[in-house]
Amino acid sequence: MISIKEVTTKSDLKAFVKFPFKLYKDSKYWVPPIISEELKTFNKKENPVFNDAESRLFLAYKNGELVGRVAAIINWLEVNNQTLKKMRFGWFDFIDDLEVSKALLNQVETIGRSHNFTFTEGPVGFSNLDKVGVVTEGFDAIAPMVTWYNHPYYAKHYEQAGYIVEKSYSESRFPFENVKPEFFLKAQELIKKRYQIKALKFTKTEEVMPYADKMFDLFNESYASLSSFVAITDIQKEYFKKKFISFINPEYIKFVVDKDDNLVAFAIVMPAFSKALQKMNGKLFPFGFRHILHAKKHSKEVIFYLIGIHPDYQNKGVHAVIFNEYYDTFKEKGIKTCIRTPELEDNYAIHQIWKHFNPEVYRRRKTFKKDL
């Protein structure tokens, strides 16, 4: 017998956050989140996304044992500004039991119907900066910090519940030795002269901050044409600045500005924290910080987290300027592997940017939808 319980107490929320630690305790590839950060994600006082979104969290029990979880999410900016009557869901984890997954999805679908929404889609987060997609290929590689990982049986559960594929994503990687400077060295000099642009170098986090709001504005502009894009609000910018920028080595943040100091392109790369997070097993204290700081300083793998180019400068080779900057930084730090976070398979512009580096697609993931 499956029973569903809505999360209403702190202990319920802790059980929700910690459930995957049990489900993936024997996995070499799952990367634990930081428990305190996950708890803050669902704290309405901490996370400003709740100014424009809401969530209800559910736990599934079988014979008294916790066997699944799901977050049912409504992003009201998406619903009202895009007139997209979509019920989101994420943080969807479950044992290999179809009754469990269907019972959890039924909670999501019921909420969606109560609002007269037309479909439900997941797994997704609150916004475009959250994790996305269920892994369908490439289970034998460690998951980057900014993605979800799951058991191979997950996709079957979506299909059995009447869901169809909505979006497809790929993740790729390439050895740094694939990066040949002749592909961009001369080009970036010509592009800088032609468009009167220059790259900014940072050595301290406080140097980045004056440009951070401009970066989020440019992120909104450069990604606006992608499907289901939801813009970042001003209050969310402050939250993301505090949450992410201190994590990132300032030399891994690259900005390109025009002659009037307007931001025309940016890229954010992060050290690979996955192995550090596995050692931490969800806990920052007493020694978790040490693992994070060691990875920040010494990781030989980097994750390309975000890259954005102003629409007026797209297809003009501006990415060559960014790559030239990273080439020098990575060479100096002895970087061995470059990894890209999930990218929509139909985002051909972004795939063109990377083609010279001969990337290998090592994982695919999808979101699933169901009409209500």
Side-chain angles (χ1 to χ4, degrees), residues 66-83:
L66 181 57
V67 289
R69 68 171 190 173
V70 72
I73 298 164
I74 301 171
N75 186 315
W76 288 109
L77 289 177
E78 182 175 58
V79 172
N80 296 325
N81 296 1
Q82 298 184 18
T83 61

Side-chain angles (χ1 to χ4, degrees), residues 171-188:
E171 295 168 57
S172 60
R173 61 191 173 197
F174 54 90
F176 178 59
E177 63 187 24
N178 281 15
V179 181
K180 308 299 183 193
E182 57 265 27
F183 284 127
F184 49 77
L185 193 57
K186 286 183 182 176
Q188 62 98 27

Side-chain angles (χ1 to χ4, degrees), residues 85-337:
K85 295 189 173 182
K86 178 167 93 177
M87 185 73 212
R88 292 172 166 244
F89 65 92
W91 288 269
F92 184 34
D93 292 290
F94 44 87
I95 64 169
D96 192 5
D97 183 324
L98 287 169
E99 286 188 5
V100 173
S101 55
K102 284 183 178 178
L104 288 165
L105 287 171
N106 185 57
Q107 295 293 323
V108 175
E109 293 161 16
T110 299
I111 295 169
R113 290 191 189 98
S114 73
H115 289 286
N116 295 315
F117 291 166
T118 54
F119 71 101
T120 179
E121 182 187 357
V124 294
F126 291 95
S127 76
N128 298 77
L129 286 179
D130 284 325
K131 299 174 183 181
V132 67
V134 61
V135 177
T136 55
E137 296 175 36
F139 298 96
D140 57 350
I142 192 168
M145 178 180 82
V146 294
T147 63
W148 280 313
Y149 181 80
N150 55 267
H151 289 304
Y153 60 76
Y154 274 42
K156 173 187 73 177
H157 283 245
Y158 286 90
E159 291 158 4
Q160 290 288 322
Y163 282 71
I164 60 171
V165 173
E166 170 66 358
K167 299 184 187 73
S168 298
Y169 299 81
S170 61
E171 295 168 57
S172 60
R173 61 191 173 197
F174 54 90
F176 178 59
E177 63 187 24
N178 281 15
V179 181
K180 308 299 183 193
E182 57 265 27
F183 284 127
F184 49 77
L185 193 57
K186 286 183 182 176
Q188 62 98 27
E189 287 294 344
L190 292 170
I191 289 157
K192 282 197 270 193
K193 286 177 185 172
R194 180 180 301 165
Y195 300 113
Q196 295 181 275
I197 58 177
K198 65 179 181 181
L200 302 180
K201 299 179 193 293
F202 302 111
T203 56
K204 297 176 182 175
T205 301
E206 51 264 34
E207 295 170 349
V208 178
M209 287 305 186
Y211 290 91
D213 284 346
K214 293 179 183 178
M215 180 189 72
F216 286 119
D217 289 340
L218 181 52
F219 173 78
N220 284 342
E221 278 191 87
S222 57
Y223 284 81
S225 62
L226 293 182
S227 57
S228 291
F229 179 76
V230 182
I232 300 168
T233 64
D234 288 344
I235 195 165
Q236 285 175 284
K237 290 176 195 172
E238 294 303 313
Y239 174 73
F240 286 126
K241 278 192 284 189
K242 289 176 187 171
K243 185 173 182 179
F244 290 122
I245 292 183
S246 61
F247 251 110
I248 304 166
N249 308 37
E251 63 271 26
Y252 284 172
I253 299 175
K254 306 295 184 185
F255 289 170
V256 179
V257 296
D258 66 13
K259 60 180 173 33
D260 299 316
D261 209 36
N262 296 312
L263 190 63
V264 301
F266 74 90
I268 294 179
V269 166
M270 300 173 74
F273 288 113
S274 297
K275 289 174 184 172
L277 288 165
Q278 286 182 330
K279 290 175 185 173
M280 292 163 59
N281 199 32
K283 296 172 184 173
L284 276 174
F285 302 103
F287 304 115
F289 269 117
R290 289 187 193 174
H291 296 304
I292 288 284
L293 292 172
H294 185 270
K296 186 174 179 180
K297 193 171 183 181
H298 298 291
S299 177
K300 300 304 177 189
E301 294 184 338
V302 290
I303 313 285
F304 276 83
Y305 181 49
L306 279 179
I307 185 166
I309 297 173
H310 192 282
D312 292 348
Y313 288 85
Q314 289 174 8
N315 302 313
K316 292 180 177 175
V318 175
H319 61 276
V321 179
I322 293 171
F323 287 152
N324 186 64
E325 294 297 314
Y326 278 125
Y327 183 80
D328 293 339
T329 302
F330 292 170
K331 193 172 181 183
E332 183 184 317
K333 288 185 168 287
I335 297 303
K336 301 291 186 190
T337 307

Side-chain angles (χ1 to χ4, degrees), residues 35-53:
I35 292 169
S36 58
E37 291 300 314
E38 283 283 270
L39 292 170
K40 287 177 186 175
T41 297
F42 296 104
N43 186 328
K44 293 177 174 62
K45 294 177 183 175
E46 292 264 358
N47 190 345
V49 76
F50 286 107
N51 290 339
D52 302 293

Side-chain angles (χ1 to χ4, degrees), residues 308-369:
I309 297 173
H310 192 282
D312 292 348
Y313 288 85
Q314 289 174 8
N315 302 313
K316 292 180 177 175
V318 175
H319 61 276
V321 179
I322 293 171
F323 287 152
N324 186 64
E325 294 297 314
Y326 278 125
Y327 183 80
D328 293 339
T329 302
F330 292 170
K331 193 172 181 183
E332 183 184 317
K333 288 185 168 287
I335 297 303
K336 301 291 186 190
T337 307
C338 301
I339 301 166
R340 288 154 57 196
T341 49
E343 293 165 348
L344 281 164
E345 291 199 341
D346 60 2
N347 186 357
Y348 303 113
I350 200 77
H351 300 310
Q352 283 295 106
I353 286 176
W354 303 99
K355 64 181 180 181
H356 290 305
F357 306 147
N358 194 24
E360 164 213 9
V361 173
Y362 72 97
R363 181 180 285 126
R364 297 184 193 277
R365 62 178 64 235
K366 302 181 189 304
T367 62
F368 286 82
K369 72 174 283 189

Side-chain angles (χ1 to χ4, degrees), residues 6-21:
E6 185 164 1
V7 169
T8 56
T9 67
K10 285 183 178 179
S11 61
D12 289 342
L13 181 57
K14 196 168 278 189
F16 181 93
V17 166
K18 293 178 83 168
F19 171 66
F21 286 78

